[in-house]
Amino acid sequence: MNVFESDAKLIVTGWLVQEDVDFLAETDRLSFFLYLYELLAKNDGLPSDFSGFTLEPLLNQPQLLKYRDAYRADPAAFTKAAVAAYQRQPKQVNESLATMAYVLVKNNSLEFLQDFVHGFDFWQGWQRNHQPSQTWALTQHDQERIAKYFDRQA
């Protein structure tokens, strides 16, 4: 699992393993969780990294193919790598944002998550350009969507 050694998303995935190890088997949900974690971080003005995400053409949703493929190839090794990454750097995870992303993804259908994500201007820009850009800011509309869903102030 050396390919993930310095990957911040793997550290967040390790946090997720501590909360719900069975969640990893739902690789579409894992991708949504990580995408929304990055979106929430961006919303809060924290560093965010959308590298590695691709548009899944059939369902038109974010997908981390290297995570999906690594988990499917060897679930035990992927889980072990995620736990080890988290244990090395647990403070790198914003637990509040991770919890918010987890609750959103765990408690909603994939159809809801697709519609929720598609409603963001950030997503629409990604669709037009086929990849997200670190320089894009979240619009007021996007910040209000997050605030409304999580009952937070925009």
Side-chain angles (χ1 to χ4, degrees), residues 122-133:
F122 187 82
W123 174 264
Q124 293 166 12
W126 186 9
Q127 280 188 300
R128 280 191 303 277
N129 298 294
H130 303 289
Q131 63 183 18
S133 169

PDB file of all heavy atoms in Angstrom, residues 122-133:
ATOM      1  N   PHE A 122     -19.923  24.450  -7.464  1.00  0.00           N
ATOM      2  CA  PHE A 122     -18.594  23.850  -7.525  1.00  0.00           C
ATOM      3  C   PHE A 122     -18.629  22.594  -8.390  1.00  0.00           C
ATOM      4  O   PHE A 122     -17.761  22.371  -9.229  1.00  0.00           O
ATOM      5  CB  PHE A 122     -18.121  23.515  -6.103  1.00  0.00           C
ATOM      6  CG  PHE A 122     -16.695  23.041  -6.021  1.00  0.00           C
ATOM      7  CD1 PHE A 122     -15.657  23.958  -6.005  1.00  0.00           C
ATOM      8  CD2 PHE A 122     -16.393  21.696  -5.949  1.00  0.00           C
ATOM      9  CE1 PHE A 122     -14.336  23.537  -5.925  1.00  0.00           C
ATOM     10  CE2 PHE A 122     -15.086  21.253  -5.866  1.00  0.00           C
ATOM     11  CZ  PHE A 122     -14.060  22.185  -5.856  1.00  0.00           C
ATOM     12  N   TRP A 123     -19.646  21.772  -8.210  1.00  0.00           N
ATOM     13  CA  TRP A 123     -19.797  20.547  -8.997  1.00  0.00           C
ATOM     14  C   TRP A 123     -20.030  20.875 -10.467  1.00  0.00           C
ATOM     15  O   TRP A 123     -19.459  20.252 -11.350  1.00  0.00           O
ATOM     16  CB  TRP A 123     -20.953  19.714  -8.461  1.00  0.00           C
ATOM     17  CG  TRP A 123     -21.242  18.521  -9.314  1.00  0.00           C
ATOM     18  CD1 TRP A 123     -22.182  18.417 -10.299  1.00  0.00           C
ATOM     19  CD2 TRP A 123     -20.563  17.274  -9.304  1.00  0.00           C
ATOM     20  NE1 TRP A 123     -22.135  17.179 -10.885  1.00  0.00           N
ATOM     21  CE2 TRP A 123     -21.137  16.452 -10.290  1.00  0.00           C
ATOM     22  CE3 TRP A 123     -19.511  16.758  -8.550  1.00  0.00           C
ATOM     23  CZ2 TRP A 123     -20.710  15.161 -10.540  1.00  0.00           C
ATOM     24  CZ3 TRP A 123     -19.088  15.461  -8.792  1.00  0.00           C
ATOM     25  CH2 TRP A 123     -19.687  14.694  -9.786  1.00  0.00           C
ATOM     26  N   GLN A 124     -20.867  21.859 -10.720  1.00  0.00           N
ATOM     27  CA  GLN A 124     -21.187  22.203 -12.099  1.00  0.00           C
ATOM     28  C   GLN A 124     -19.938  22.704 -12.834  1.00  0.00           C
ATOM     29  O   GLN A 124     -19.750  22.411 -14.011  1.00  0.00           O
ATOM     30  CB  GLN A 124     -22.340  23.198 -12.132  1.00  0.00           C
ATOM     31  CG  GLN A 124     -23.624  22.541 -11.646  1.00  0.00           C
ATOM     32  CD  GLN A 124     -24.721  23.518 -11.322  1.00  0.00           C
ATOM     33  OE1 GLN A 124     -24.657  24.693 -11.649  1.00  0.00           O
ATOM     34  NE2 GLN A 124     -25.759  23.020 -10.661  1.00  0.00           N
ATOM     35  N   GLY A 125     -19.086  23.442 -12.131  1.00  0.00           N
ATOM     36  CA  GLY A 125     -17.819  23.862 -12.723  1.00  0.00           C
ATOM     37  C   GLY A 125     -16.927  22.672 -13.021  1.00  0.00           C
ATOM     38  O   GLY A 125     -16.236  22.629 -14.040  1.00  0.00           O
ATOM     39  N   TRP A 126     -16.966  21.701 -12.143  1.00  0.00           N
ATOM     40  CA  TRP A 126     -16.177  20.486 -12.332  1.00  0.00           C
ATOM     41  C   TRP A 126     -16.663  19.733 -13.573  1.00  0.00           C
ATOM     42  O   TRP A 126     -15.870  19.276 -14.389  1.00  0.00           O
ATOM     43  CB  TRP A 126     -16.291  19.614 -11.092  1.00  0.00           C
ATOM     44  CG  TRP A 126     -15.418  18.385 -11.089  1.00  0.00           C
ATOM     45  CD1 TRP A 126     -14.428  18.073 -11.972  1.00  0.00           C
ATOM     46  CD2 TRP A 126     -15.465  17.319 -10.168  1.00  0.00           C
ATOM     47  NE1 TRP A 126     -13.847  16.865 -11.639  1.00  0.00           N
ATOM     48  CE2 TRP A 126     -14.461  16.378 -10.535  1.00  0.00           C
ATOM     49  CE3 TRP A 126     -16.231  17.045  -9.049  1.00  0.00           C
ATOM     50  CZ2 TRP A 126     -14.233  15.203  -9.829  1.00  0.00           C
ATOM     51  CZ3 TRP A 126     -15.990  15.879  -8.357  1.00  0.00           C
ATOM     52  CH2 TRP A 126     -15.011  14.976  -8.738  1.00  0.00           C
ATOM     53  N   GLN A 127     -17.959  19.628 -13.724  1.00  0.00           N
ATOM     54  CA  GLN A 127     -18.507  18.937 -14.886  1.00  0.00           C
ATOM     55  C   GLN A 127     -18.054  19.603 -16.189  1.00  0.00           C
ATOM     56  O   GLN A 127     -17.696  18.922 -17.141  1.00  0.00           O
ATOM     57  CB  GLN A 127     -20.028  18.925 -14.836  1.00  0.00           C
ATOM     58  CG  GLN A 127     -20.597  17.870 -13.933  1.00  0.00           C
ATOM     59  CD  GLN A 127     -22.087  17.813 -14.098  1.00  0.00           C
ATOM     60  OE1 GLN A 127     -22.784  18.797 -13.865  1.00  0.00           O
ATOM     61  NE2 GLN A 127     -22.588  16.677 -14.509  1.00  0.00           N
ATOM     62  N   ARG A 128     -18.102  20.934 -16.214  1.00  0.00           N
ATOM     63  CA  ARG A 128     -17.711  21.653 -17.430  1.00  0.00           C
ATOM     64  C   ARG A 128     -16.240  21.448 -17.760  1.00  0.00           C
ATOM     65  O   ARG A 128     -15.860  21.351 -18.914  1.00  0.00           O
ATOM     66  CB  ARG A 128     -17.993  23.146 -17.275  1.00  0.00           C
ATOM     67  CG  ARG A 128     -19.432  23.530 -17.488  1.00  0.00           C
ATOM     68  CD  ARG A 128     -19.600  25.031 -17.578  1.00  0.00           C
ATOM     69  NE  ARG A 128     -19.108  25.743 -16.411  1.00  0.00           N
ATOM     70  CZ  ARG A 128     -19.783  25.925 -15.275  1.00  0.00           C
ATOM     71  NH1 ARG A 128     -20.996  25.433 -15.146  1.00  0.00           N
ATOM     72  NH2 ARG A 128     -19.270  26.600 -14.285  1.00  0.00           N
ATOM     73  N   ASN A 129     -15.392  21.391 -16.740  1.00  0.00           N
ATOM     74  CA  ASN A 129     -13.947  21.322 -16.948  1.00  0.00           C
ATOM     75  C   ASN A 129     -13.372  19.922 -16.765  1.00  0.00           C
ATOM     76  O   ASN A 129     -12.170  19.728 -16.921  1.00  0.00           O
ATOM     77  CB  ASN A 129     -13.248  22.293 -15.998  1.00  0.00           C
ATOM     78  CG  ASN A 129     -13.666  23.717 -16.279  1.00  0.00           C
ATOM     79  OD1 ASN A 129     -13.365  24.253 -17.325  1.00  0.00           O
ATOM     80  ND2 ASN A 129     -14.404  24.322 -15.370  1.00  0.00           N
ATOM     81  N   HIS A 130     -14.198  18.973 -16.389  1.00  0.00           N
ATOM     82  CA  HIS A 130     -13.818  17.568 -16.205  1.00  0.00           C
ATOM     83  C   HIS A 130     -12.830  17.323 -15.087  1.00  0.00           C
ATOM     84  O   HIS A 130     -12.290  16.230 -14.967  1.00  0.00           O
ATOM     85  CB  HIS A 130     -13.303  16.958 -17.510  1.00  0.00           C
ATOM     86  CG  HIS A 130     -14.296  17.064 -18.612  1.00  0.00           C
ATOM     87  ND1 HIS A 130     -15.452  16.325 -18.640  1.00  0.00           N
ATOM     88  CD2 HIS A 130     -14.338  17.843 -19.710  1.00  0.00           C
ATOM     89  CE1 HIS A 130     -16.143  16.644 -19.704  1.00  0.00           C
ATOM     90  NE2 HIS A 130     -15.497  17.565 -20.378  1.00  0.00           N
ATOM     91  N   GLN A 131     -12.562  18.313 -14.292  1.00  0.00           N
ATOM     92  CA  GLN A 131     -11.746  18.120 -13.098  1.00  0.00           C
ATOM     93  C   GLN A 131     -11.921  19.325 -12.183  1.00  0.00           C
ATOM     94  O   GLN A 131     -12.143  20.430 -12.654  1.00  0.00           O
ATOM     95  CB  GLN A 131     -10.272  17.930 -13.443  1.00  0.00           C
ATOM     96  CG  GLN A 131      -9.636  19.136 -14.109  1.00  0.00           C
ATOM     97  CD  GLN A 131      -8.204  18.862 -14.498  1.00  0.00           C
ATOM     98  OE1 GLN A 131      -7.782  17.729 -14.588  1.00  0.00           O
ATOM     99  NE2 GLN A 131      -7.447  19.901 -14.718  1.00  0.00           N
ATOM    100  N   PRO A 132     -11.836  19.086 -10.891  1.00  0.00           N
ATOM    101  CA  PRO A 132     -11.957  20.221  -9.970  1.00  0.00           C
ATOM    102  C   PRO A 132     -10.664  21.016  -9.929  1.00  0.00           C
ATOM    103  O   PRO A 132      -9.602  20.504 -10.244  1.00  0.00           O
ATOM    104  CB  PRO A 132     -12.229  19.544  -8.622  1.00  0.00           C
ATOM    105  CG  PRO A 132     -11.614  18.200  -8.755  1.00  0.00           C
ATOM    106  CD  PRO A 132     -11.703  17.818 -10.206  1.00  0.00           C
ATOM    107  N   SER A 133     -10.783  22.259  -9.566  1.00  0.00           N
ATOM    108  CA  SER A 133      -9.607  23.115  -9.463  1.00  0.00           C
ATOM    109  C   SER A 133      -9.482  23.615  -8.031  1.00  0.00           C
ATOM    110  O   SER A 133     -10.461  24.016  -7.413  1.00  0.00           O
ATOM    111  CB  SER A 133      -9.742  24.315 -10.399  1.00  0.00           C
ATOM    112  OG  SER A 133      -8.743  25.264 -10.117  1.00  0.00           O
TER     113      SER A 133
END
